[in-house]
Amino acid sequence: QEQLVESGGGLVQVGGSLRLSCAASGRTFSTYAMGWFRQAPGKEREFVAAISWSNTRYADSVKGRFTISRDNAKNTVYLQMNSLKPEDTAVYSCAASAYITTNPKFVGYWGQGTQVTVSS
């Protein structure tokens, strides 16, 4: 059974950093594009970042602050988040898809999500 499990969320002050991890199991996701989406209360889920074998893509709101990376040997994808802002507060979910997509409708697998709260 395919499973994505996130970790690393928590409470951080404005300007701080967090690193999210997403461990995949049940299949080898090395050929999948992996990504992160987030959803704040009362808002729709939005794309954050994604990585394929050779490309990365970021939402404009996180460019220069967030970095996505992956370790295929560990079947794990990471999201390093720096210079965090209150508007980054959301539930962050790991996603796996056949190709990089910014549309959650085309995501094949989801993690359960991890809460990130940035306090001012």
Side-chain angles (χ1 to χ4, degrees):
Q1 181 178 354
E2 297 82 4
Q3 192 174 18
L4 302 176
V5 179
E6 302 97 335
S7 61
L11 175 65
V12 64
Q13 292 187 332
V14 169
S17 299
L18 282 175
R19 188 176 82 153
L20 305 182
S21 299
C22 172
S25 62
R27 72 163 49 218
T28 299
F29 283 91
S30 60
T31 60
Y32 282 68
M34 302 294 294
W36 293 90
F37 288 74
R38 67 186 181 187
Q39 188 167 22
K43 295 187 177 180
E44 293 187 353
R45 182 175 283 178
E46 66 174 1
F47 170 77
V48 176
I51 184 169
S52 66
W53 181 257
S54 58
N55 293 317
T56 58
R57 185 169 180 176
Y58 295 92
D60 288 343
S61 58
V62 306
K63 278 181 183 176
R65 300 188 298 122
F66 291 11
T67 302
I68 190 170
S69 61
R70 65 191 298 167
D71 185 336
N72 288 332
K74 295 182 178 179
N75 236 9
T76 301
V77 63
Y78 304 97
L79 184 68
Q80 178 66 44
M81 305 185 294
N82 299 327
S83 302
L84 283 161
K85 305 175 181 180
E87 51 264 43
D88 294 319
T89 295
V91 174
Y92 284 70
S93 296
C94 180
S97 53
Y99 47 85
I100 287 181
T101 179
T102 62
N103 190 334
K105 294 181 181 180
F106 299 124
V107 170
Y109 301 94
W110 289 101
Q112 84 286 352
T114 185
Q115 177 70 45
V116 171
T117 303
V118 184
S119 64
S120 57

